[in-house]
Amino acid sequence: MEVTTTEAKIKAAAQKVFLEKGFSGARMQDIADKAGINKALLHYYYRSKDKLFDIIFMESFQKIIPKINLIAQSDAPLFEKIEKFVGEYIVAINADPMVPLFVLHELTRHPEKFIQKVFSATDGGPKVGKLVAQIQEEAEKGNIRPIHPATLLMNIMSLCIFPYIGKPMFQMVLSIDDKQFSTLLAQRKTEVSAFVINALRL
């Protein structure tokens, strides 16, 4: 039981340190201090900062991807899928706000290696084939305005993710604190899906 408790403390501390200082600025000593353990014990569990970083955020993807796949592969109407997709994604990122920064960091460093790790850790990664076909079908039937499925998915992902990446900039430009920013993000669960759906209507 002690092992699980110590590992959980380390992971929670590491998430906070990575979020506060970024990967490059974080040190193993910072994580050990935040977890309330000595550095030797931290190295016993996780030999390097890279290894700890990988484990924490691969676990995050293992939580997010299955939920997204469940929505994408369902038989729900397209607009309902968009609402659920946006809602689940924003809730997941709110719980793990470091994920977008992690993705950006890893795609910059080792894009192919990162993608391979995500696909391996999540049983093949995102499965959006059925959703892509549904978007094409709805456009062909004239139910939505013509749009390439990739463009629609990129628009949705960008609207969901970028506010977390640009948080410091938004807060400075808009002169808002953490509480105000969190309120704005909570509202985006409905506002983003409404924006996307309205853009698709004829």
Side-chain angles (χ1 to χ4, degrees):
M1 243 355 222
E2 183 62 33
V3 171
T4 303
T5 301
T6 303
E7 288 182 347
K9 283 169 63 177
I10 291 171
K11 289 176 183 177
Q15 281 183 312
K16 290 177 182 177
V17 172
F18 285 137
L19 187 58
E20 291 168 2
K21 301 188 175 184
F23 177 82
S24 300
R27 298 179 303 126
M28 289 294 268
Q29 185 64 60
D30 297 328
I31 296 169
D33 291 343
K34 182 75 77 172
I37 61 174
N38 61 56
K39 191 176 176 181
L41 184 59
L42 175 59
H43 278 284
Y44 171 77
Y45 283 101
Y46 303 100
R47 295 183 180 180
S48 70
K49 183 172 70 171
D50 285 83
K51 183 68 175 175
L52 179 55
F53 194 76
D54 280 353
I55 289 171
I56 288 174
F57 294 104
M58 281 304 116
E59 287 181 357
S60 295
F61 275 101
Q62 287 170 332
K63 295 175 187 175
I64 296 172
I65 298 298
K67 293 179 181 179
I68 297 304
N69 285 344
L70 195 63
I71 295 167
Q73 295 176 305
S74 75
D75 294 321
L78 178 60
F79 288 174
E80 183 181 326
K81 282 187 180 181
I82 291 172
E83 290 173 348
K84 289 182 177 179
F85 183 96
V86 170
E88 284 287 355
Y89 213 87
I90 290 179
V91 166
I93 299 175
N94 270 333
D96 245 332
M98 188 63 193
V99 170
L101 298 176
F102 166 67
V103 173
L104 187 63
H105 175 268
E106 288 296 284
L107 286 176
T108 302
R109 286 200 317 164
H110 310 293
E112 292 184 3
K113 184 179 177 183
F114 168 71
I115 293 168
Q116 288 172 354
K117 285 192 292 187
V118 170
F119 273 61
S120 176
T122 57
D123 190 29
K127 297 177 175 64
V128 296
K130 185 172 181 176
L131 178 58
V132 167
Q134 186 176 14
I135 295 167
Q136 292 173 324
E137 183 180 347
E138 291 296 303
E140 288 167 3
K141 287 180 178 179
N143 294 331
I144 62 172
R145 73 175 184 82
I147 187 171
H148 195 292
T151 298
L152 177 56
L153 293 177
M154 283 190 281
N155 288 346
I156 294 172
M157 295 293 288
S158 299
L159 287 166
C160 289
I161 293 172
F162 186 72
Y164 295 88
I165 295 175
K167 179 183 176 181
M169 177 184 69
F170 289 128
Q171 286 188 292
M172 181 179 70
V173 172
L174 300 173
S175 299
I176 55 177
D177 59 24
D178 286 343
K179 185 177 180 180
Q180 292 170 311
F181 191 77
S182 294
T183 300
L184 286 174
L185 291 179
Q187 293 169 352
R188 290 182 67 77
K189 281 196 295 183
T190 54
E191 290 179 355
V192 168
S193 56
F195 180 84
V196 172
I197 289 170
N198 287 334
L200 290 173
R201 293 186 192 279
L202 294 171

